[in-house]
Amino acid sequence: MIGKIQKLISPNIYGSLLIIASGLLAALSNSFIHGMSVKLSVFELVFLKTAVGLMVLSIVYMRSITIITKTRILKFHLIKSIFGVLGNFFWIGALLYLPLAQSASLSLTSALFTSLGGWLLYKERFRWPVFLSLVIGFVGVLIILNPLNTQIDHLIYIVFPLISAMLFSGSSLIIKTISKSDSSLTTLFYLMLFMCLFSAPLALWYWQWPELSDTLRIVLVGLFYILTQMALIEAYTKAETSFIAPFKFARFPLNIFAGMVFFMEIPIFETLFGALLILVSNLLLIRFDRPRKKAKMG
């Protein structure tokens, strides 16, 4: 089924659809963490969700685990995992202490970091429509954020999603290098393994048993996380980094919807208007890719 979809659309559109799917999964995962009845440490939450992901991956691919674990570029997997685990520490901290919409809006700066990294590190072509889309989407984020009205007690935590965005961008950019040698499953396995190992010591130090009602949430967070990573790895492997990065902006409207459904958080006008700009930026990218697709077919 996935192979047929790839043949019908361009690699960039295929990658953008995967990014949007990962955004939906991430919004569900964020909602579960945001609504935890007990505030577990960020280290414990990262450990638990990666442990669940590693367990699921090991069970599903038990028969081919020896093939999946073969790699000659272990150091790149290690670097990617360091970016990933640090990004998760800051991101979960933001989810626990900031409003869901505010955390999601600031995290969208990762699209800017990733596109810039694609141009600088991989010499991808600089395209004005892509840059314009980034600008429009980022303006939408600023309108929603409204930094001048930020509460004083939230100033420290506002930095968390910005740092996590930069770290996640670094993790995403490394995928391009890793994908030349290893499969998506190998990348995912080592990401789960190393993140689990890196977070384990601090998780044990700050360990607190979760409530029974939160146990199912944690399991679902781990499951959604591994599916999100599979979609992201496939997207960055198949498509141009600078093109698909702005589609991360779609995560914000998805988080708005999740906030309304699960927490009765009704967005204000600025939030809706900013979300509209983000959607427009994504539509511009899709329209921009059509002529290139037709030209190749002709």
Side-chain angles (χ1 to χ4, degrees):
M1 180 65 180
I2 295 178
K4 292 182 179 179
I5 295 176
Q6 286 184 264
K7 292 179 180 179
L8 292 174
I9 58 179
S10 71
N12 281 342
I13 298 301
Y14 172 68
S16 67
L17 292 175
L18 288 173
I19 292 293
I20 293 173
S22 72
L24 178 59
L25 292 168
L28 292 172
S29 178
N30 295 340
S31 299
F32 287 135
I33 295 175
H34 189 65
M36 296 283 287
S37 60
V38 175
K39 301 298 183 184
L40 303 177
S41 72
V42 295
F43 311 111
E44 183 176 350
L45 286 172
V46 172
F47 170 74
L48 290 173
K49 80 174 188 177
T50 52
V52 170
L54 182 61
M55 187 182 305
V56 171
L57 194 64
S58 300
I59 293 174
V60 174
Y61 296 98
M62 184 183 303
R63 295 183 178 180
S64 56
I65 196 69
T66 55
I67 299 176
I68 293 175
T69 54
K70 288 182 179 179
T71 180
R72 296 181 179 179
I73 53 170
L74 192 62
K75 63 179 181 180
F76 286 103
H77 290 290
L78 185 64
I79 295 172
K80 173 176 169 55
S81 301
I82 292 174
F83 278 112
V85 73
L86 292 176
N88 269 276
F89 287 159
F90 284 103
W91 174 241
I92 291 179
L95 290 176
L96 293 176
Y97 298 107
L98 289 176
L100 187 58
Q102 193 173 36
S103 298
S105 65
L106 285 169
S107 72
L108 295 177
T109 54
S110 64
L112 177 61
F113 297 137
T114 306
S115 284
L116 291 175
W119 290 326
L120 296 175
L121 298 179
Y122 297 109
K123 308 302 180 182
E124 294 180 353
R125 285 178 295 170
F126 180 87
R127 299 174 182 172
W128 281 107
V130 175
F131 180 76
L132 177 62
S133 175
L134 280 170
V135 172
I136 293 174
F138 194 65
V139 168
V141 171
L142 291 178
I143 291 174
I144 297 166
L145 181 58
N146 195 5
L148 296 178
N149 291 334
T150 302
Q151 297 179 10
I152 299 298
D153 56 343
H154 286 164
L155 286 178
I156 296 177
Y157 300 115
I158 281 180
V159 183
F160 284 13
L162 290 174
I163 296 176
S164 71
M166 188 177 300
L167 290 166
F168 286 147
S169 296
S171 179
S172 298
L173 288 168
I174 296 175
I175 293 176
K176 281 290 186 183
T177 300
I178 293 177
S179 63
K180 296 177 181 178
S181 303
D182 291 345
S183 67
S184 298
L185 284 177
T186 300
T187 304
L188 186 59
F189 176 84
Y190 281 109
L191 178 66
M192 295 293 104
L193 176 63
F194 285 136
M195 284 183 61
C196 187
L197 293 176
F198 291 156
S199 58
L202 288 173
L204 294 175
W205 183 265
Y206 293 100
W207 187 266
Q208 180 182 357
W209 288 104
E211 296 289 337
L212 183 61
S213 60
D214 289 332
T215 303
L216 179 60
R217 289 174 179 264
I218 293 173
V219 172
L220 290 175
V221 166
L223 180 60
F224 289 154
Y225 182 67
I226 195 169
L227 292 175
T228 300
Q229 291 302 312
M230 289 178 70
L232 286 173
I233 291 171
E234 179 73 3
Y236 282 100
T237 299
K238 301 296 184 183
E240 292 182 0
T241 303
S242 58
F243 181 90
I244 61 176
F247 281 86
K248 288 184 177 181
F249 287 133
R251 291 191 177 195
F252 189 77
L254 292 172
N255 278 278
I256 292 177
F257 182 73
M260 293 175 61
V261 173
F262 297 114
F263 305 105
M264 300 300 292
E265 297 176 354
I266 307 300
I268 58 177
F269 171 77
E270 287 81 359
T271 299
L272 295 176
F273 182 65
L276 178 62
L277 289 179
I278 292 170
L279 292 175
V280 168
S281 71
N282 288 342
L283 292 175
L284 283 176
L285 282 179
I286 295 175
R287 185 175 180 84
F288 168 66
D289 194 57
R290 285 178 180 172
R292 297 174 62 242
K293 177 182 176 184
K294 291 179 179 179
K296 290 181 178 180
M297 293 176 64

